[in-house]
């Protein structure tokens, strides 16, 4: 019988009640995705573990089988293509459907979620009001980098026309120095919405958990058009009066806007970000950076500055809502490591060396670029040079992971945080038989799967490791070589 298969898995810790919830979520998701082509499912067991087999047909007959098995700490899935006349792209698309389904459950718990974020004493709504130049710059820096790359090319070309081929590289490099030394102010200006300091230490998260079947309706009719008014009203009825945020208080406010309390759940978290960062910088023996919260759903953290004395740390609200406190501390430790080690200067030196070498080679080959072969040689050199730059940058990121694991004893917490933040990248990586493409990518971070494995292997060793750099470099190089072997085999 003709059968093509694609396999994958996702870490999900499930009890019996949750298994039933996830099973129903998957069935509803597949039914919605394939509509009349979805033909039902069977409940099965695999080595004692519960699971389901779901069926999708085409107009010619059986098309796909989805095998989903619920293990103790993960969900394993297999997609089979049953129709030999169908394109393999049908199976790949089906695999992506089940991936999106499991990721959606992973990220939301099968519910629709919205958060109101408060920093008492600061403006309730970020000054940018999700509009204006600041919002545009945030989207630019967090979104597609091709536009930024195009701008840099345009600026380089203009300088080239004015200064000529030999002066241009010097001018461009010198122009980066003021940006490097003011980077902590630039990132605060572009990304910072609420400043956290000794008088404004805490961040409060008010989460509303809504049933998925009612989420879009409630969001479009009530929450989204009145979000600022509702947020302000919750603040006025609680924190502004010096009262604690409580579930009952939030529900009372929402009921005034027509939301019935049986249609949602309220989750409230209080995070003392200032004291959290203070305790971490003490362990790293550095000055505390200026701390800002960025009201962005993307889970991310960043730190910039030539030294800890002149530095800024950004934590997004998406990160605060996604991670528990220990995971958040581990991520902050990673960013503090970048400040302690002056990594922004390291990256500047590395990129400057790469840029100068690339310009010199280009100038040497330029008179020869009359033939196709000369052009190919130049392109190959540029690709190799940039790939090497990003490969070396991966050592820096791996070392920051090790620093956090060693100084905070947070190896498992950082690994857990990476799973939550970068699960989509993990899914993409597991589609490949080797991590080699991700080691060679123009991304300063090592493969996520490698970072997690490195953190979880004999995690106690980080407490006694003598050289973080040596361990980071050796671990990266070893896995890179293993990835080459896997790709060849």
């Amino acid at each position: 019988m003709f059968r093509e298969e694609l396999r994958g898995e996702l870490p999900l810790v499930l009890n019996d009640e949750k298994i039933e919830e996830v099973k129903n979520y998957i069935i509803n998701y597949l039914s919605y995705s394939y509509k009349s082509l979805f033909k039902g499912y069977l409940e099965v067991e695999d080595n004692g573990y519960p699971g389901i087999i779901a069926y999708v047909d085409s107009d010619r007959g059986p098309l796909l089988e989805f095998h989903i098995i619920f293990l103790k700490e993960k969900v394993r899935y297999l997609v089979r293509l049953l129709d030999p006349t169908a394109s393999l792209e049908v199976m790949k698309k089906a695999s992506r459907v089940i991936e999106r389904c499991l990721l959606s459950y992973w990220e939301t718990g099968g519910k629709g979620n919205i958060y109101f974020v408060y920093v008492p004493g600061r403006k309730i709504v970020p000054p940018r009001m999700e509009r204006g130049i600041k919002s545009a710059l945030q989207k630019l820096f967090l979104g597609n980098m091709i536009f930024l790359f195009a701008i840099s090319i345009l600026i380089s070309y203009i300088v080239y026309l004015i200064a000529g081929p030999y002066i241009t590289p010097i001018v461009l490099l010198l122009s980066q120095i003021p940006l490097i030394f003011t980077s902590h102010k630039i990132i605060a200006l572009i990304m910072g919405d609420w400043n956290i300091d000794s008088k404004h230490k805490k961040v409060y998260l008010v989460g509303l958990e809504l049933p998925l079947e009612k989420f879009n309706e409630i969001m479009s009719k009530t929450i989204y058009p009145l979000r600022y008014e509702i947020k302000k009203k919750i603040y006025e009825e609680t924190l502004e009066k010096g009262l604690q945020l409580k579930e009952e208080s939030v529900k009372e406010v929402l009921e005034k806007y027509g939301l019935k309390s049986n249609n949602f759940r309220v989750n409230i978290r209080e995070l003392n970000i200032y004291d959290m960062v203070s305790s971490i910088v003490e362990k790293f023996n550095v000055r505390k950076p200026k701390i800002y919260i960025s009201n962005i759903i993307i889970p991310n953290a960043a730190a910039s500055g030539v030294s800890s004395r002149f530095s800024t740390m950004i934590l997004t609200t998406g990160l605060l809502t996604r991670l528990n406190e220990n995971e958040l501390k581990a991520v902050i430790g990673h960013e503090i490591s970048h400040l302690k080690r002056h990594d922004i200067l390291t990256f500047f030196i590395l990129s400057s060396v790469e840029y100068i070498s690339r310009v010199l080679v280009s100038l040497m080959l330029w008179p020869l670029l009359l033939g196709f072969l000369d052009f190919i040689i130049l392109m190959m050199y540029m690709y190799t040079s940039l790939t090497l730059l990003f490969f070396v940058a991966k050592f820096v990121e791996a070392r920051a992971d090790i620093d956090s694991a060693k100084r905070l004893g947070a190896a498992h917490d950082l690994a857990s945080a990476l799973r939550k933040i970068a699960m989509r990248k993990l899914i993409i990586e597991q589609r490949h038989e080797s991590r080699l493409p991700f080691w060679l990518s123009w991304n300063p971070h090592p493969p996520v799967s490698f970072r997690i494995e490195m953190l979880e292997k004999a995690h106690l060793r980080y407490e006694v490791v003598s050289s973080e750099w040596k361990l980071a470099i050796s671990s990266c190089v070893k896995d890179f070589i293993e990835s080459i072997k896997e790709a060849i085999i």
Side-chain angles (χ1 to χ4, degrees):
M1 178 183 287
F2 171 84
R3 287 195 176 187
E4 290 283 352
E5 300 178 349
L6 282 175
R7 300 172 181 267
E9 60 184 38
L10 192 77
L12 277 175
V13 180
L14 304 171
N15 55 30
D16 291 341
E17 182 181 342
K18 283 292 183 181
I19 288 175
E20 191 67 22
E21 184 179 286
V22 177
K23 180 187 72 177
N24 292 331
Y25 186 81
I26 293 171
I27 296 304
N28 290 333
Y29 196 98
L30 292 177
S31 177
Y32 175 80
S33 299
Y34 288 98
K35 299 187 170 51
S36 62
L37 297 178
F38 179 72
K39 297 304 178 182
Y41 69 98
L42 292 175
E43 297 195 17
V44 298
E45 279 195 4
D46 186 341
N47 294 323
Y49 294 107
I52 58 173
I53 300 178
Y55 303 94
V56 172
D57 287 357
S58 69
D59 54 3
R60 293 187 299 271
L63 179 66
L64 295 164
E65 280 183 1
F66 293 87
H67 292 237
I68 299 106
I69 304 298
F70 304 103
L71 305 178
K72 288 183 178 180
E73 296 184 350
K74 58 188 171 184
V75 176
R76 183 173 293 159
Y77 62 89
L78 177 150
V79 180
R80 280 190 178 139
L81 182 64
L82 303 179
D83 185 351
T85 65
S87 167
L88 291 179
E89 187 58 36
V90 173
M91 181 178 61
K92 293 177 181 178
K93 183 178 179 180
S95 178
R96 290 192 289 270
V97 168
I98 198 65
E99 285 173 4
R100 287 196 296 270
C101 172
L102 292 173
L103 278 169
S104 173
Y105 186 87
W106 161 272
E107 293 172 349
T108 67
K111 308 291 183 182
N113 294 280
I114 181 171
Y115 285 90
F116 295 120
V117 183
Y118 299 95
V119 179
R122 300 296 189 194
K123 290 186 177 180
I124 298 174
V125 178
R128 60 187 172 89
M129 292 285 291
E130 297 185 354
R131 298 184 181 91
I133 188 169
K134 188 169 184 177
S135 178
L137 287 171
Q138 285 187 350
K139 292 177 181 178
L140 183 64
F141 278 86
L142 288 172
N144 194 331
M145 299 300 289
I146 293 177
F147 184 65
L148 281 178
F149 184 64
I151 291 177
S152 68
I153 291 177
L154 177 62
I155 293 173
S156 299
Y157 183 68
I158 293 173
V159 175
Y160 174 84
L161 292 177
I162 297 173
Y166 295 99
I167 303 299
T168 296
I170 299 173
V171 172
L172 291 176
L173 279 179
L174 291 177
S175 68
Q176 299 299 309
I177 294 176
L179 294 176
I180 295 297
F181 280 88
T182 59
S183 62
H184 62 293
K185 293 185 178 181
I186 295 173
I187 192 174
L189 177 64
I190 294 175
M191 303 294 296
D193 287 317
W194 295 294
N195 179 220
I196 303 297
D197 57 25
S198 59
K199 295 181 180 179
H200 309 85
K201 294 184 175 185
K202 296 180 180 180
V203 176
Y204 291 88
L205 308 172
V206 177
L208 306 185
E209 187 180 281
L210 306 165
L212 281 181
E213 61 270 18
K214 298 182 179 179
F215 180 75
N216 289 334
E217 179 184 355
I218 293 175
M219 281 294 297
S220 60
K221 290 184 177 181
T222 305
I223 299 294
Y224 188 76
L226 300 173
R227 61 194 184 281
Y228 297 133
E229 182 182 332
I230 293 173
K231 184 178 182 182
K232 183 179 179 182
K233 192 66 175 177
I234 292 173
Y235 184 81
E236 289 174 345
E237 295 296 324
T238 55
L239 296 172
E240 190 174 59
K241 295 179 178 179
L243 302 175
Q244 285 187 333
L245 270 169
K246 293 184 177 180
E247 181 178 350
E248 296 77 13
S249 304
V250 175
K251 285 187 173 182
E252 285 179 9
V253 171
L254 292 173
E255 284 176 351
K256 294 176 182 178
Y257 290 89
L259 293 181
K260 297 180 180 180
S261 59
N262 60 344
N263 282 340
F264 62 90
R265 289 180 58 189
V266 176
N267 300 305
I268 297 172
R269 289 180 66 195
E270 176 186 322
L271 295 170
N272 192 327
I273 299 296
Y274 185 84
D275 287 351
M276 190 185 298
V277 175
S278 298
S279 66
I280 293 170
V281 296
E282 284 182 11
K283 294 181 179 180
F284 279 84
N285 193 28
V286 295
R287 291 174 180 262
K288 184 165 47 266
K290 289 186 177 180
I291 309 163
Y292 287 88
I293 304 299
S294 184
N295 194 32
I296 296 174
I297 195 171
I298 298 170
N300 202 0
S304 188
V306 294
S307 70
S308 59
R309 184 177 181 181
F310 304 101
S311 62
T312 295
M313 172 178 290
I314 300 288
L315 303 173
T316 69
T317 52
L319 189 77
L320 302 185
T321 59
R322 188 73 61 86
L323 304 184
N324 65 38
E325 193 164 320
N326 288 334
E327 292 164 345
L328 184 58
K329 288 179 180 178
V331 171
I332 292 172
H334 174 100
E335 299 303 329
I336 296 297
S337 172
H338 284 315
L339 298 179
K340 180 178 178 63
R341 307 280 192 154
H342 312 291
D343 285 340
I344 190 171
L345 293 177
T346 302
F347 283 129
F348 175 66
I349 293 170
L350 287 173
S351 60
S352 297
V353 170
E354 187 280 329
Y355 175 70
I356 291 172
S357 67
R358 181 156 39 95
V359 169
L360 290 175
V361 170
S362 300
L363 289 175
M364 287 188 294
L365 289 177
W366 187 257
L368 304 175
L369 291 180
L370 301 176
F372 180 73
L373 181 60
D374 300 313
F375 178 76
I376 292 298
I377 291 173
L378 178 59
M379 291 298 102
M380 288 179 62
Y381 176 81
M382 292 176 66
Y383 173 80
T384 303
S385 178
L386 286 169
T387 302
L388 183 60
L389 169 66
F390 282 102
F391 185 76
V392 173
K394 290 175 173 63
F395 299 161
V396 179
E397 293 295 338
R399 189 229 64 231
D401 285 346
I402 294 169
D403 264 347
S404 182
K406 176 182 176 181
R407 294 175 183 271
L408 304 181
H412 282 314
D413 291 320
L414 184 53
S416 177
L418 287 171
R419 281 195 183 91
K420 292 182 179 180
I421 295 170
M423 180 54 68
R424 293 181 183 272
K425 290 182 180 178
L426 271 176
I427 292 291
I428 294 172
E429 287 179 16
Q430 77 176 17
R431 292 179 190 156
H432 294 73
E433 295 181 357
S434 167
R435 285 196 279 247
L436 185 60
F438 305 98
W439 279 113
L440 298 177
S441 67
W442 289 1
N443 184 323
H445 294 89
V448 179
S449 53
F450 160 77
R451 295 174 68 185
I452 292 172
E453 289 173 13
M454 182 185 71
L455 288 164
E456 292 188 334
K457 284 181 181 176
H459 69 283
L460 292 176
R461 66 178 175 171
Y462 295 121
E463 298 174 8
V464 296
V465 67
S466 58
S467 173
E468 293 84 354
W469 275 113
K470 183 178 179 181
L471 180 57
I473 295 171
S474 63
S475 298
C476 288
V477 171
K478 181 179 179 182
D479 193 80
F480 174 66
I481 293 172
E482 289 297 320
S483 299
I484 294 175
K485 292 178 181 178
E486 289 172 0
I488 294 174
I489 294 173

